[in-house]
Amino acid sequence: MSPIVPEADLGQAPAQTPPGGLRGWALRMCTGRWALPAFGLVSALESSILPIPTDAVMVPLAFARPNQLVRITVVATIGSVVGAVIGYGIGAIAFEAIGDAVLEFYGMEQVFTDFVALYRDHGWLALLGAALTPVP
């Protein structure tokens, strides 16, 4: 009895053409040579100055490179930490340069001093709340 499908065709997936449109463009960008370094840069910028979630880049990157999920996660983590350090530096420099003048202009010196004392005593609650909620 001969099989319905010739044996040469068994187990072979049909040839797929690359997707077009936005999906095709995203996959091409995510498989390029500079995709991971660019993702690290996006992660750093997101943590310091850009309000764009890295998920918009990480998900297509993970689909395009499923065998590199750990590497993608490490790049995101390192980029995020570098960006956080840069953001802290920006805040520290900006506060030293103009923070006191802004507080004085608005008459908020005492309010800020009270806030610092409150945060020093109960800041762990703010950190806990930020860690447990998805709100950025």
Side-chain angles (χ1 to χ4, degrees):
M1 178 173 213
S2 79
I4 297 174
V5 178
E7 286 187 34
D9 290 340
L10 289 177
Q12 294 181 356
Q16 293 182 351
T17 59
L22 181 61
R23 181 172 177 235
W25 176 82
L27 287 175
R28 284 190 303 278
M29 293 296 111
C30 291
T31 56
R33 176 180 178 185
W34 296 102
L36 283 178
F39 177 59
L41 179 64
V42 168
S43 274
L45 291 174
E46 186 268 336
S47 294
S48 57
I49 58 174
L50 290 179
I52 299 171
T54 56
D55 300 349
V57 180
M58 189 178 215
V59 171
L61 196 58
F63 276 119
R65 299 171 178 232
N67 57 339
Q68 295 182 350
L69 293 178
V70 172
R71 181 177 290 173
I72 293 167
T73 305
V74 168
V75 168
T77 302
I78 291 171
S80 183
V81 169
V82 168
V85 170
I86 291 169
Y88 181 83
I90 291 170
I93 291 169
F95 186 77
E96 290 296 322
I98 62 170
D100 289 330
V102 170
L103 289 172
E104 185 179 329
F105 177 78
Y106 287 108
M108 303 289 284
E109 299 98 337
Q110 186 59 43
V111 173
F112 182 72
T113 304
D114 294 345
F115 173 78
V116 169
L118 182 67
Y119 196 81
R120 187 180 312 116
D121 295 338
H122 303 290
W124 66 274
L125 286 172
L127 290 176
L128 180 66
L132 297 177
T133 61
V135 178

